[in-house]
Amino acid sequence: MKAWEDKKVLDTQLMANAFFNAYANANRKKGKKPIPLWKKTKNKKVNISKVKQQFAEIEEIEKNSSKDWVRQIYEGRR
């Protein structure tokens, strides 16, 4: 229920931001730049060797552990 509530709050906040942005842009003065809806973010540089190492560790863990918990989840949903 908490996750659903968080999603609803986020959805309404995004909608309110979009309406406010549209209103502000529609009523701006001539010659003024429009306010962008989304802020551009810079991509962080990723250390490829570290990512490959982490991916290899995950694959090793998946090989050694059983995946019975996934089967149990799917059986419980039926």
Side-chain angles (χ1 to χ4, degrees), residues 46-53:
V46 178
N47 186 352
I48 300 297
S49 62
K50 188 174 182 180
V51 171
K52 287 182 180 179
Q53 177 188 5

Side-chain angles (χ1 to χ4, degrees), residues 13-39:
Q13 184 65 42
L14 289 174
M15 190 68 71
N17 289 345
F19 286 132
F20 174 75
N21 186 282
Y23 179 79
N25 283 334
N27 294 320
R28 65 186 160 86
K29 293 184 179 181
K30 280 188 175 180
K32 236 182 157 186
K33 291 185 177 181
I35 302 169
L37 180 59
W38 303 107
K39 294 179 182 177

Side-chain angles (χ1 to χ4, degrees), residues 4 6 14 16-18 20-21 30 40 45 73 75 77:
W4 178 79
D6 290 342
L14 289 174
N17 289 345
F20 174 75
N21 186 282
K30 280 188 175 180
K40 292 184 179 180
K45 292 189 178 183
I73 289 173
E75 286 177 356
R77 296 186 86 198

